[in-house]
Amino acid sequence: MPAFTSSTFGNYSKKWLVATSIFALVLAAVFVVIGFKVPGAAAGMYLTAGILGLVGVVLLLIGLRVAAGSADADRVSRMGLPGVARITALTQTGMFLNDNPQVKMDLLVQVTGKAPYAASRKEFVPLIMLSQISPGSTLPVKVDPNNSNDVVIQWNQPQPTPSGAGDTSETLGQVVSALVGSRLGAASPFASADQGNYTVDQLRAYIRESGVEGTATINQLTDSGRDVGNDRLMTVQSTVKIPGSPPMETPPTAAMIPIDVVGKLMVGSTVPVKVAPENHNAIVVEWERI
């Protein structure tokens, strides 16, 4: 059985609306033909055909609009920026589809590189999934990079673990605290204070999703001696090469390196990376390829 997504009910409604509209338009054509062949009943037949034709056109337009919404949800799910959204309020709209309620969710959305912001989303939610949503719940989302209000919930992905409930993903603020404690000089991994609550995993996911592939040659590698989560905190100065751009010397930068990879790195090592397209100082090493 296909996984439930934000477009599942839309795709179902689209098929039903388009099929019903075609049936109504075909039936309208039949009444027109009957009216033409039976002149005495022409007025009634044409009136019925007109009503059926109008209903068919309206249903077709609604079906096309629903189809466009489903296509947009699929597009954002494929190409959008990954993030998380915390539900701040829930309202049942009173609409149902096959006994499944439509719910309006007020959300606080967090996407790497942006301050948290409010958005809302209406969804028909299967009865079996209603237990996943309540004020305070956190859901995985994708966000249209060109329209931050176009937020699509990723129902087919695991719910993020709430902070403080077994979450092992360190925040950027923790990285800075560890840097200060180690007395290593390195550029801050975030641009504004409100980004300090973003996790390293969120930053990695964003750059992996939208970054440009390249390589980095390590020129300087300094171990802080501190572990943050499951990673070793180090500072790295490297030469980054991406297609179409000249080699770039990075300043000493904080690097969260999986503990099992640390022994494979040394000055002179070349590693595969992805670079944020809008900020070439934001780099993620693809550790799994080392």
Side-chain angles (χ1 to χ4, degrees):
M1 178 184 243
F4 175 77
T5 69
S6 286
S7 64
T8 297
F9 281 126
N11 288 329
Y12 170 82
S13 301
K14 170 193 70 176
K15 292 176 183 177
W16 184 88
L17 288 165
V18 171
T20 304
S21 69
I22 292 173
F23 176 76
L25 291 171
V26 169
L27 203 57
V30 170
F31 276 98
V32 169
V33 171
I34 294 174
F36 181 76
K37 294 192 177 229
V38 185
M45 295 296 105
Y46 291 156
L47 177 61
T48 302
I51 293 172
L52 286 171
L54 179 62
V55 170
V57 168
V58 170
L59 289 177
L60 181 61
L61 292 175
I62 295 174
L64 293 175
R65 182 174 179 180
V66 170
S70 296
D72 179 71
D74 287 337
R75 176 187 62 81
V76 174
S77 291
R78 288 193 313 270
M79 305 173 62
L81 304 176
V84 295
R86 181 168 59 84
I87 299 174
T88 57
L90 287 172
T91 307
Q92 191 165 316
T93 66
M95 294 183 65
F96 291 83
L97 182 61
N98 286 351
D99 293 327
N100 298 293
Q102 186 186 60
V103 178
K104 177 179 179 287
M105 290 170 276
D106 293 329
L107 307 169
L108 183 65
V109 182
Q110 292 187 352
V111 177
T112 301
K114 296 183 179 180
Y117 65 93
S120 64
R121 175 84 181 177
K122 288 182 181 178
E123 293 265 1
F124 284 103
V125 182
L127 293 173
I128 198 172
M129 300 180 78
L130 284 175
S131 61
Q132 294 185 23
I133 59 173
S134 61
S137 298
T138 303
L139 299 170
V141 298
K142 288 285 189 77
V143 178
D144 187 336
N146 298 315
N147 179 8
S148 59
N149 290 317
D150 193 356
V151 179
V152 177
I153 296 169
Q154 303 301 288
W155 296 104
N156 56 344
Q157 294 183 11
Q159 279 187 284
T161 303
S163 178
D167 184 11
T168 60
S169 178
E170 55 276 4
T171 66
L172 300 184
Q174 287 176 294
V175 173
V176 169
S177 296
L179 278 171
V180 171
S182 68
R183 298 184 179 179
L184 290 178
S188 173
F190 54 89
S192 58
D194 60 345
Q195 295 174 7
N197 289 324
Y198 296 164
T199 68
V200 173
D201 283 346
Q202 285 178 313
L203 179 63
R204 287 171 175 163
Y206 166 66
I207 298 178
R208 286 179 187 275
E209 188 83 16
S210 60
V212 179
E213 290 189 353
T215 61
T217 300
I218 298 173
N219 302 323
Q220 179 182 326
L221 186 64
T222 306
D223 190 345
S224 72
R226 292 174 178 263
D227 295 336
V228 182
N230 295 319
D231 297 327
R232 176 62 63 88
L233 175 63
M234 307 183 81
T235 60
V236 178
Q237 191 279 317
S238 60
T239 301
V240 177
K241 297 179 181 179
I242 57 176
S245 299
M248 178 184 66
E249 299 287 330
T250 69
T253 304
M256 303 301 300
I257 302 175
I259 292 173
D260 60 348
V261 176
V262 170
K264 301 178 183 179
L265 299 180
M266 64 185 69
V267 173
S269 297
T270 297
V271 294
V273 299
K274 280 204 169 179
V275 182
E278 74 282 1
N279 177 10
H280 288 180
N281 288 320
I283 300 167
V284 166
V285 179
E286 299 185 279
W287 302 115
E288 67 280 2
R289 293 174 56 190
I290 297 176

